[in-house]
Amino acid sequence: MKKYRKILLLIATIFTLGAMSKVAYANEFNFSVNPVLPENQIGQSGYFNLEMNPGQSQTLTVTLKNSTEKTVIVEEAIASATTNINGVIEYSPNKIKPDRTLKYNLADYATMPKEITLTPKSSQQVKINVKMPDETFKGVIAGGITFKEKDSGTTASKSKGLSIQNKYAYVVALLMQQDKTVVAPDLKMNAVAPGQVNYRNVINANLQNPNAGYLNQMYAQATIKGLSNTSLSYTANKEMMQMAPNTNFDYPIAIGEGKRLEAGKYRLTMTVYGQKDANGKYSSKDAAGKAQKFDYRWQFTRDFTISGETARKLNAKDVTVKPEAWYKNWLIWMGIILILLALLFLFFLLWKRRKDEEDEEEQPSEKEALQAQLEAIKAQLNEESKEVSEKDE
């Protein structure tokens, strides 16, 4: 059995629109990364935030430095920004599908070498070629550049078949826009459906930001009430989330460990705030009861249904849910009842058939009955004939 420790992304420059960290160096790395900011950089930050004209091409530079005594091979990749299930923006390659509203994927407008070799105690400049789309548009094309050491930090233990692998990467955000106009975010709710997170039952509300602007400092308040079973109620409130432009993610509402997902009808009500602002028009209270204001607010209500088959499959996979006792399973009880009814019906048919056969044996046949009647009539006629003869004599 092999177990892999979750990939740890040490982000060299973490983007939060207004709060950027400087380049970070970690002991786990055998190389360092330093972006060389160009003249068309918007603001002084440790990531690329470029203002470019439609159709403009440009070459960016990132300096990689190897301060060790060994050769280091660095793998490089470019990806469009996505939003993960925790409401955190990812700038590195992942398995999250691009949102259908994403018109300009950064991976289609930026190129760079797939890997580079750093000799001991050396540095090299990596060139990234970027191109702004020919069309005029408002908003941001967002993504990131990932630098990862090839086959780095691997420790393996053959005992008991255990293998642990650590992977570290630098990620530098790369933003491109045609002007400094801030595009307001938007928020839509797509499907609401049951699912699982870490083999635990949840109900996912898919949230979508269809605009080319960041949605920052999100505060979501969600409640699910059972309509078929009014005793069911689930809540999930979470603060300080963020969504990248033109992305979506599943916001999970946990039903509680050990609790079975029930089939039936439900109603989700959800309020999402965005962008904290002391002068914001929308007010709310955080988890500690402190008042806060936001520039944006969205409210959603959605009815949905969970089928019995879906609930059964998810409950079977939930590692915290105990298998249901056989005598509590209504399907088993229905089966037992149907079998008993079938046996009773069969018994009734056999009993009726046997009774009919006995009745037929006890009663004379129709022919015999008629013959007996004829014999009786004949005997009576003979008797009457004798009486008439005796009177005549």
Side-chain angles (χ1 to χ4, degrees), residues 6-21:
K6 186 178 180 181
I7 295 177
L8 176 62
L9 294 178
L10 299 181
I11 300 181
T13 309
I14 303 176
F15 175 77
T16 56
L17 260 184
M20 300 289 178
S21 66

Side-chain angles (χ1 to χ4, degrees), residues 248-288:
N248 72 83
F249 77 104
D250 287 333
Y251 181 81
I253 298 98
I255 69 170
E257 293 202 1
K259 294 183 179 180
R260 302 185 69 84
L261 192 65
E262 287 193 19
K265 295 182 179 180
Y266 295 82
R267 175 168 294 163
L268 165 69
T269 56
M270 189 172 190
T271 301
V272 181
Y273 299 90
Q275 192 60 52
K276 285 186 179 180
D277 186 344
N279 299 317
K281 61 185 294 188
Y282 302 105
S283 299
S284 181
K285 292 183 178 181
D286 60 16

Side-chain angles (χ1 to χ4, degrees), residues 192-194 228 262-266 303-308 310:
V192 178
S228 301
E262 287 193 19
K265 295 182 179 180
Y266 295 82
D303 291 349
F304 62 98
T305 301
I306 299 176
S307 69
T310 298

Side-chain angles (χ1 to χ4, degrees), residues 71 102 128 159 232 300 306:
T71 298
L102 181 64
I128 302 102
S159 62
L232 298 178
F300 306 101
I306 299 176

Side-chain angles (χ1 to χ4, degrees), residues 9-73:
L9 294 178
L10 299 181
I11 300 181
T13 309
I14 303 176
F15 175 77
T16 56
L17 260 184
M20 300 289 178
S21 66
K22 296 182 179 180
V23 176
Y25 302 97
N27 293 332
E28 292 85 355
F29 288 97
N30 291 317
F31 66 98
S32 62
V33 176
N34 184 31
V36 180
L37 303 181
E39 293 182 357
N40 60 329
Q41 171 79 13
I42 300 175
Q44 293 300 315
S45 52
Y47 66 100
F48 292 112
N49 188 5
L50 312 176
E51 182 177 0
M52 301 173 65
N53 297 320
Q56 179 183 345
S57 296
Q58 185 173 347
T59 300
L60 307 176
T61 301
V62 175
T63 302
L64 303 185
K65 184 177 181 181
N66 175 15
S67 59
T68 70
E69 299 291 343
K70 67 175 185 177
T71 298
V72 175
I73 299 176

